[in-house]
C-alpha cells in the first residue's frame, strides 16, 4: 500500500494512531520497505503533530478517525486535518476506521478526495507479497521526537543495525523471554520503550 502511494526508501512517514494493532503494523510496513517512520504520541495536539511532520518532512501520514484515551474520544483525524494545513510535504493520509458506525460530529473524519484514503479499502487490493528492502546497518530505521517539555522537540535518529541488535539482545538476555511467555509493556507505542519492547525487541 505504501509503495502504491509513492513511498520509497528513505521517505518519512508520520504515524499518529491510538494503541491499536495497526500502529505496529504501520511501523513494520515502513521498516520493510526502508521508509523512516516517525510515531507521534496519539495524545499530542495538532500543533505538536504539525511541528514533528514539518521537521521530518514526512510525505505520508497514517492516522485514525478517532481514538480512546481516559474514557474520552480523541478526534485524531480532525486533529490531523488541522495539523497538515501547514504541512506542505504531506501528499497522502491513510485513515484507520476505529469507530465504525459513527457519523456526523461523532465520525471526526472528513475525507478529502485524492489525499485521504481509508486503510481498510486500500488493504482490499493490496498484494500479499512485498519484497523487503535491503538496508545497511547505518541506514535510519526511525525518528522519534522528544516530548518538547524543555523546548523545541528534537528528532532522535535510530539506525537499523545497532538499534535492532540492541533490542533483540535485551529482549533475549535481560528479559529472558521465551516463545510461550506472556509479556506486558505498559508504555505507549509513541515512546521509545513502546517502539523497543512492543514492536522491535
Amino acid at each position: 500500500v505504501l509503495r502504491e502511494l509513492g513511498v520509497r526508501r528513505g521517505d518519512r512517514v508520520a504515524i499518529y494512531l491510538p494503541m491499536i494493532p495497526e500502529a505496529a503494523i504501520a511501523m513494520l510496513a515502513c521498516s520493510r520497505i526502508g521508509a523512516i517512520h516517525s510515531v507521534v504520541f496519539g495524545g499530542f495536539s495538532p500543533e505538536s503533530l504539525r511541528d514533528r511532520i514539518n521537521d521530518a518532512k514526512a510525505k505520508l501520514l497514517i492516522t485514525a478517525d478517532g481514538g480512546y484515551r481516559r474514557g474520552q474520544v480523541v478526534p485524531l483525524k480532525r486533529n490531523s486535518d488541522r495539523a497538515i494545513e501547514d504541512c506542505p510535504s504531506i501528499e497522502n493520509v491513510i485513515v484507520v476506521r476505529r469507530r465504525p458506525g459513527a457519523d456526523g460530529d461523532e465520525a471526526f473524519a472528513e475525507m478529502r478526495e485524492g489525499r485521504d484514503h481509508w486503510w481498510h479499502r486500500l488493504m482490499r487490493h493490496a498484494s500479499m507479497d512485498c519484497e523487503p528492502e535491503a538496508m545497511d546497518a547505518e541506514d535510519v530505521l526511525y525518528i522519534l521526537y522528544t516530548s518538547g517539555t524543555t523546548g523545541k522537540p528534537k528528532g532522535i535518529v535510530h539506525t537499523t543495525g545497532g538499534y535492532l541488535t540492541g533490542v533483540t539482545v535485551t529482549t533475549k538476555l535481560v528479559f529472558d523471554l521465551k516463545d510461550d511467555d506472556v509479556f506486558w509493556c505498559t508504555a505507549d507505542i509513541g515512546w521509545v520503550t513502546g517502539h523497543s519492547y512492543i514492536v522491535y525487541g
Side-chain angles (χ1 to χ4, degrees), residues 6-193:
V7 177
R8 298 291 179 263
R9 175 182 179 147
D11 288 339
R12 273 78 63 208
V13 172
I15 300 171
Y16 182 58
L17 287 170
M19 289 290 287
I20 56 176
E22 288 84 353
I25 292 165
M27 293 166 69
L28 293 169
C30 289
S31 62
R32 187 165 184 88
I33 66 170
I36 300 164
H37 63 71
S38 175
V39 178
V40 179
F41 173 54
F44 276 166
S45 68
E47 294 74 23
S48 297
L49 177 61
R50 177 201 63 208
D51 292 347
R52 287 157 174 80
I53 288 173
N54 284 334
D55 190 74
K57 297 180 177 55
K59 72 184 296 185
L60 185 140
L61 170 64
I62 303 173
T63 190
D65 52 358
Y68 300 94
R69 186 167 296 280
R70 296 186 190 142
Q72 303 295 316
V73 178
V74 181
L76 294 170
K77 177 60 166 65
R78 191 179 293 165
N79 288 351
S80 297
D81 288 342
R82 283 177 53 200
I84 63 177
E85 286 174 6
D86 298 313
C87 297
S89 62
I90 292 291
E91 298 172 5
N92 289 286
V93 179
I94 298 175
V95 184
V96 176
R97 179 169 281 165
R98 178 75 172 121
R99 310 186 68 239
D103 55 21
D105 284 342
E106 288 294 303
F108 300 131
E110 292 182 18
M111 303 293 280
R112 182 184 293 181
E113 188 72 32
R115 182 197 71 185
D116 298 347
H117 315 271
W118 286 109
W119 173 297
H120 62 280
R121 290 183 182 159
L122 292 172
M123 291 299 287
R124 276 186 206 145
H125 308 291
S127 171
M128 292 299 288
D129 299 312
C130 181
E131 192 68 26
E133 192 72 26
M135 305 297 287
D136 291 330
E138 290 299 307
D139 287 338
V140 177
L141 177 66
Y142 68 84
I143 303 169
L144 186 59
Y145 285 84
T146 57
S147 63
T149 52
T150 56
K152 187 173 186 282
K154 297 163 189 67
I156 309 301
V157 171
H158 294 261
T159 58
T160 301
Y163 172 78
L164 292 178
T165 301
V167 294
T168 300
V169 167
T170 53
T171 301
K172 287 180 182 294
L173 302 183
V174 177
F175 298 149
D176 191 31
L177 291 184
K178 304 292 190 288
D179 289 343
D180 57 354
D181 287 338
V182 176
F183 175 69
W184 171 264
C185 180
T186 196
D188 190 281
I189 208 159
W191 307 121
V192 72
T193 308

